[in-house]
Amino acid sequence: MFDITAEIGQMLTILIMAVALGMDAFSLGIGIGLKGIRLLDILKLSALISIFHVLMPLGGMYTGQYVSTLLGGIATTAAGALLLLLGGHMVYSAIRGEAVESINHRTIWGMLVFSFSVSIDSFSVGVSLGMFSSSVLMTVLVFGMLGGLMSVLGLMIGRSASRSLGGYGEALGGVILFAFGLLFLI
């Protein structure tokens, strides 16, 4: 019974983290969508974001597993501190109003830069998760699916929503990661 509860808790944690990481793609997608975007570009950009949301945490998890063997008992504290920093940075960026106005999302380089920029946070979270030996395949697949889905939603909503919603989505994602960081440290 305890193993099932632990598995459900782990899956719920991964889902919440995936949503928090996807908030970045969602909120920035709203901004891109407000500039006007074709449906084909939405599909291309979201597919790239999904790929980056798989590759970045995968690299982070393997790095985290290596770091975990080096750090031993300090791993939990280091993982919590990483999530605190990451969540705090996301909230700070949302408050400060950083945007990706200079990226032309219609070019392949623009799509790659945009996809990388909204997925870089996944690497840090992957490092943290790698220190806890969570299921690698399940984690990266959930991160990829939700990252892609949330980018599609953000881009579609951005076509018809106001610009002010975007910053709140990134701030919410940051608050969630910050809260997980606190939980790891407590």
Side-chain angles (χ1 to χ4, degrees):
M1 180 75 170
F2 178 72
D3 291 334
I4 293 172
T5 306
E7 290 293 322
I8 291 171
Q10 182 180 10
M11 184 61 183
L12 185 59
T13 300
I14 290 169
L15 281 171
I16 291 170
M17 291 180 121
V19 168
L21 290 172
M23 285 293 186
D24 208 15
F26 175 78
S27 62
L28 293 176
I30 289 173
I32 295 270
L34 284 168
K35 291 196 269 185
I37 187 167
R38 298 177 307 164
L39 289 177
L40 181 60
D41 288 336
I42 288 175
L43 292 176
K44 287 188 223 177
L45 192 54
S46 297
L48 274 174
I49 289 171
S50 291
I51 291 168
F52 274 92
H53 266 74
V54 167
L55 295 177
M56 297 299 284
L58 187 61
M61 290 178 86
Y62 285 120
T63 302
Q65 288 172 350
Y66 176 72
V67 168
S68 179
T69 59
L70 292 176
L71 295 178
I74 307 172
T76 303
T77 304
L82 276 174
L83 289 175
L84 280 174
L85 290 172
L86 178 62
H89 182 267
M90 285 175 69
V91 171
Y92 174 74
S93 294
I95 291 170
R96 199 165 152 219
E98 293 177 357
V100 290
E101 306 291 342
S102 62
I103 297 175
N104 181 0
H105 63 276
R106 291 181 178 92
T107 66
I108 187 66
W109 289 112
M111 286 186 188
L112 286 171
V113 168
F114 180 76
S115 299
F116 180 77
S117 70
V118 300
S119 303
I120 193 71
D121 300 344
S122 300
F123 181 83
S124 302
V125 172
V127 170
S128 300
L129 290 174
M131 292 181 194
F132 296 107
S133 68
S134 63
S135 171
V136 173
L137 182 62
M138 178 182 65
T139 301
V140 297
L141 290 178
V142 169
F143 281 12
M145 287 188 308
L146 282 176
L149 177 64
M150 292 184 74
S151 66
V152 167
L153 290 173
L155 290 164
M156 296 296 287
I157 289 172
R159 293 174 78 181
S160 62
S162 70
R163 189 173 293 270
S164 63
L165 189 62
Y168 294 120
E170 185 177 0
L172 178 60
V175 167
I176 291 170
L177 291 179
F178 193 85
F180 274 106
L182 284 176
L183 287 174
F184 285 163
L185 291 175
I186 295 175

